[in-house]
């Protein structure tokens, strides 16, 4: 089962990088929307500044969520690399939450559950 754990670590690192890219992209969009609010650009359509403010807040929250999600997976991958018991438990928690993120998060979640609940892996992380 060691190759599966090593592959799971790589998947967690990839998922962390992917979510970091999403978080950075969303923060760039939030900055672009914030410039409309800050500069007070007068466009023809009424309510543009309000819509830009809502867009800024939404993109900022989504960016923070993606960056926190990325950090959680990166920290968990590091713990799995060091074969820490808490990392196995954390990977199971992240796996359950990943099940909601169709389709790639679901696949990662199912694979994580399959690997982490295997008896040989359990003994490896308890030792």
């Amino acid at each position: 089962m060691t190759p599966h754990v090593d592959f799971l670590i790589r998947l967690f690192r990839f998922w962390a990088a992917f979510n970091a890219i999403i978080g950075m992209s969303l923060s760039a969009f939030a900055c672009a929307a914030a410039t409309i609010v800050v500069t007070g650009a007068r466009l023809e359509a009424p309510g543009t500044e309000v819509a830009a403010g809502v867009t800024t807040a939404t993109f900022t929250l989504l960016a923070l969520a993606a960056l926190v999600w990325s950090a959680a997976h990166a920290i968990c991958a590091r713990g799995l690399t060091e074969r820490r018991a808490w990392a196995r438990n954390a990977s199971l928690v992240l796996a359950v939450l990943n099940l909601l993120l169709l389709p790639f998060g679901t696949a990662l979640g199912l694979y994580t559950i399959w690997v982490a609940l295997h008896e040989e892996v359990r003994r490896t992380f308890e030792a």
Side-chain angles (χ1 to χ4, degrees):
M1 281 306 288
T2 302
H4 289 287
V5 174
D6 293 337
F7 185 62
L8 182 64
I9 292 166
R10 284 190 214 108
L11 287 175
F12 266 52
R13 287 181 179 157
F14 172 78
W15 195 241
F18 180 73
N19 281 292
I21 290 170
I22 290 173
M24 296 305 292
S25 299
L26 287 171
S27 64
F29 287 135
C31 289
T35 57
I36 295 173
V37 175
V38 171
T39 60
R42 302 286 178 228
L43 300 174
E44 299 286 326
T48 303
E49 291 159 348
V50 173
V54 170
T55 302
T56 301
T58 303
F59 281 162
T60 301
L61 287 174
L62 290 174
L64 287 173
L67 291 173
V68 166
W69 197 241
S70 171
H73 282 82
I75 291 168
C76 188
R78 177 142 188 153
L80 288 172
T81 302
E82 298 170 358
R83 303 295 194 256
R84 306 281 180 158
W86 63 263
R88 181 183 157 273
N89 295 332
S91 70
L92 285 169
V93 171
L94 291 173
V96 170
L97 296 173
N98 274 330
L99 291 174
L100 302 173
L101 302 174
L102 295 170
F104 301 114
T106 303
L108 177 62
L110 289 173
Y111 183 70
T112 303
I113 291 169
W114 179 74
V115 170
L117 291 180
H118 199 274
E119 188 61 36
E120 184 180 333
V121 173
R122 183 179 299 179
R123 281 193 306 264
T124 301
F125 280 87
E126 286 176 354

